[in-house]
Amino acid sequence: MSKSFDVIVIGGGPGGYIAAIRAAQLGFNVACVDEWKNDKGGPAPGGTCTNVGCIPSKALLQSSEHFDHAGNHFADHGIGLSNLTIDVTKMLGRKDQVVKQNNDGILYLLKKNKVSFFHGRGAFVKAESGTYEVSVSGTADATLSAKHVIVATGSIARQLPGAAFDEDRILSNDGALRIGAVPKTLGVIGSGVIGLEMGSVWRRLGAEVTILEALPGFLGAADEGVAKEALKAFTKQGLKFAFGVKITGVQTGAKGVVVAYTNAKGEAVTLDVERLIVSIGRIPNTIGLNAAGVGLALDERGAIIVDADCKTNLPNVWAVGDVVRGPMLAHKAEEEGVAVAERIAGQHGHVDFNLVPWVIYTSPEISWVGQTEQQLKAEGRAYKSGQFPFMANGRARALGDTTGFVKFLADAETDEILGVHIVGPFASELIAEAVVAMAFKASAEDIARICHAHPSLSEATKEAALAVDKRTLNY
Ligand code: FAD
Ligand code: NAI
């Protein structure tokens, strides 16, 4: 006997659990199936984001930033410390606690919203007379049926051919968050978001970190000016980079890993490290879903094919988050989840992909929304730009963190904001103002005319908006 629902959500990450909650708010009888297990075998909803992604990485970034401040910046404030140590076991334990609080919070939210949670793997069984049957195999086996199914099965780390993850020497994001002691040397393949964030954590704690990147340039998705400023800061912190490399072999031994590669000049080089993080992107995950069994169409990358509304090729089957096209970001997955639940209810859910902000939680933090200067140039769009350095911002000086700037790009004629790019302190928080402004189609002058509190980092945003019209007041 199958249990009948209006909506079944497969996957309990940010895309799935948020879709389930929104669908329940809209009056549907909802099931959410998620297979993630905690170390005791119990349910751990929240997906990659909560268990091995956004949340634990930010916990370790915070711990390592405290350590860095204590070791390198407290003295500037007259605070003396001797015998500074790091207890990695305790740091990892705290991170695990933060994860558990989030897992428990999601279980509570599902219950509060009367979503039925099933701990196990969900797989399509069949589609009959407009109803989908989904089997759950896991903690308790069950068969569910519903008219609507939302697939939110996320993504998994991409392996480098010939260098399978063993999570001991060759680490994915999962192992990179569980290194039991600070390695003397750490290699990272891929200078993308994970490479920079996890490389920063272990560098701050004392590891010698070398990042090998296939592309000739750094952080191609970011505005060029921001990427240049960030690279300067990271290099100053001691992160070592090699660009334009081609990995030719990875050998693990009892003591570590030897990575062989050719550098940008074509010379053969080897890198000997205790541990190696491979962060070369992620791939959509449909393992065990039986997509083929019901004819759910995937593209050549394994992503579920969806239209702009997250509709798949099957009637009433939707897919959201990392398992479909678009940026692999938790907030993008959430927005799609909400929009799909609203569409099922006959409402007009909407996601503006141009307004999905990016944040990299390094030090300095990097954030942006909208278009980069190089994209505008390629488009041939006439634009104006304005930039304001944190060096000229009073709050940044008081914080002792004056790296970076805020940069505005606005239409040359209408002054509409086309992109905002930030590198510097609390860029992750500052970007929200730019997203709001762009959502309301604001001009740079709109921001320039709004009263911003003094002294605050947000004054740099106002000043960058003023800079578009070449009338900064403090620079
Ligand atoms: P996921 O979070 O991957 O969730 C999918 C869930 O479905 C998982 O729980 C999985 O176990 C479950 N599942 C899969 N198949 C089945 C099945 N057949 N049956 C039942 N359950 C199934 N994004 C940000 O926006 N900000 C960040 O700071 C950030 N930091 C990150 C740091 C790291 C190290 C990593 C790896 C990623 C980070 N991301 C970040 C990306 C973010 O984690 C993802 O974009 C987000 O988790 C995608 O959500 P999702 O719901 O699509 O998939
Ligand atoms: P990424 O796509 O950000 O970066 C991968 C990098 O590896 C690229 O620079 C690429 O050129 C390079 N690369 C690919 N193949 C290579 C090879 N063979 N040798 C050397 N370099 C190679 O992917 P990453 O860092 O794995 O992260 C995956 C995704 O997770 C991100 O794209 C992002 O969507 C998400 N994420 C988001 C975070 C955030 O929002 N703060 C934090 C961490 C991850």
Side-chain angles (χ1 to χ4, degrees):
M1 243 313 259
S2 70
K3 294 186 175 121
S4 171
F5 293 90
D6 299 321
V7 181
I8 300 169
V9 182
I10 306 178
Y17 89 80
I18 288 291
I21 288 175
R22 184 70 188 118
Q25 284 175 347
L26 290 162
F28 293 112
N29 182 17
V30 184
C32 180
V33 187
D34 187 82
E35 65 178 346
W36 207 294
K37 290 188 181 119
N38 62 25
D39 53 4
K40 296 188 181 64
T48 301
C49 167
T50 301
N51 292 293
V52 292
C54 325
I55 301 299
S57 60
K58 266 81 254 179
L60 294 189
L61 279 156
Q62 189 60 57
S63 300
S64 61
E65 193 167 353
H66 282 321
F67 184 74
D68 178 60
H69 279 204
N72 297 318
H73 304 293
F74 275 15
D76 300 340
H77 298 261
I79 304 169
L81 269 179
S82 57
N83 221 0
L84 181 67
T85 58
I86 176 81
D87 180 341
V88 174
T89 308
K90 191 157 183 184
M91 177 184 80
L92 296 183
R94 175 188 175 273
K95 179 249 324 173
D96 292 341
Q97 270 308 310
V98 174
V99 169
K100 186 173 179 313
Q101 285 163 4
N102 281 274
N103 294 143
D104 292 349
I106 295 166
L107 282 172
Y108 163 79
L109 289 171
L110 291 173
K111 202 165 164 193
K112 181 180 147 198
N113 285 283
K114 300 191 175 46
V115 173
S116 302
F117 180 74
F118 293 87
H119 188 213
R121 173 168 287 182
F124 282 105
V125 179
K126 60 183 179 190
E128 235 169 47
S129 338
T131 300
Y132 292 92
E133 199 172 283
V134 170
S135 66
V136 182
S137 40
T139 306
D141 294 349
T143 305
L144 318 177
S145 60
K147 180 178 171 190
H148 291 275
V149 179
I150 304 174
V151 181
T153 45
S155 64
I156 51 175
R158 187 153 82 83
Q159 309 224 17
L160 187 70
F165 296 126
D166 59 19
E167 303 301 4
D168 175 35
R169 296 288 171 197
I170 304 181
L171 312 168
S172 70
N173 55 293
D174 185 3
L177 291 158
R178 291 191 280 114
I179 304 177
V182 181
K184 209 166 158 327
T185 50
L186 175 71
V188 178
I189 303 187
S191 69
V193 198
I194 294 179
L196 291 174
E197 290 188 355
M198 296 317 300
S200 292
V201 166
W202 297 105
R203 169 72 208 118
R204 289 169 189 170
L205 299 178
E208 191 182 301
V209 179
T210 307
I211 303 184
L212 305 177
E213 167 61 47
L215 294 175
F218 179 59
L219 223 49
D223 189 85
E224 272 170 8
V226 165
K228 206 168 145 202
E229 180 80 3
L231 183 59
K232 208 166 65 187
F234 297 148
T235 307
K236 207 166 139 200
Q237 287 160 20
L239 284 172
K240 292 187 189 144
F241 292 90
F243 295 103
V245 309
K246 187 170 185 322
I247 310 292
T248 51
V250 175
Q251 285 293 330
T252 48
K255 291 210 176 116
V257 189
V258 180
V259 184
Y261 64 95
T262 51
N263 65 16
K265 293 183 198 146
E267 298 158 342
V269 185
T270 56
L271 174 72
D272 235 313
V273 285
E274 260 180 51
R275 290 176 204 271
L276 178 72
I277 297 173
V278 178
S279 46
I280 56 169
R282 297 178 62 81
I283 49 176
N285 171 33
T286 52
I287 299 167
L289 186 64
N290 191 27
V294 283
L296 181 63
L298 311 182
D299 69 13
E300 63 293 345
R301 292 169 43 246
I304 296 175
I305 298 173
V306 287
D307 67 9
D309 288 345
C310 293
K311 281 187 182 143
T312 70
N313 65 313
L314 300 177
N316 301 323
V317 176
W318 312 72
V320 301
D322 281 11
V323 77
V324 305
R325 52 57 204 127
M328 290 186 169
L329 295 173
H331 40 286
K332 175 264 191 183
E334 291 185 15
E335 292 302 308
E336 286 183 331
V338 167
V340 163
E342 292 178 351
R343 285 172 197 136
I344 292 174
Q347 299 182 359
H348 299 280
H350 177 67
V351 183
D352 186 341
F353 287 99
N354 188 45
L355 292 186
V356 175
W358 272 88
V359 177
I360 307 177
Y361 294 81
T362 41
S363 177
E365 291 186 345
I366 300 167
S367 65
W368 71 88
V369 61
Q371 288 173 288
T372 61
E373 195 158 352
Q374 59 269 28
Q375 281 172 333
L376 294 174
K377 277 184 190 152
E379 248 179 42
R381 180 124 185 210
Y383 66 93
K384 304 177 280 185
S385 84
Q387 192 165 310
F388 187 82
F390 284 108
M391 186 68 87
N393 173 272
R395 184 75 196 280
R397 284 197 211 111
L399 281 173
D401 192 354
T402 52
T403 311
F405 54 80
V406 180
K407 173 172 172 178
F408 266 64
L409 299 169
D411 186 272
E413 212 172 307
T414 65
D415 196 37
E416 181 181 344
I417 304 167
L418 303 175
V420 177
H421 304 269
I422 309 177
V423 52
F426 294 97
S428 55
E429 301 296 334
L430 293 173
I431 199 67
E433 179 180 5
V435 181
V436 172
M438 288 178 66
F440 286 100
K441 303 255 178 254
S443 63
E445 176 150 12
D446 287 329
I447 297 297
R449 286 187 176 276
I450 290 170
C451 180
H452 288 64
H454 176 77
S456 71
L457 297 170
S458 69
E459 286 173 291
T461 307
K462 177 188 168 104
E463 291 274 4
L466 281 165
V468 170
D469 199 28
K470 307 216 173 341
R471 53 188 180 102
T472 52
L473 298 165
N474 285 286
Y475 185 59

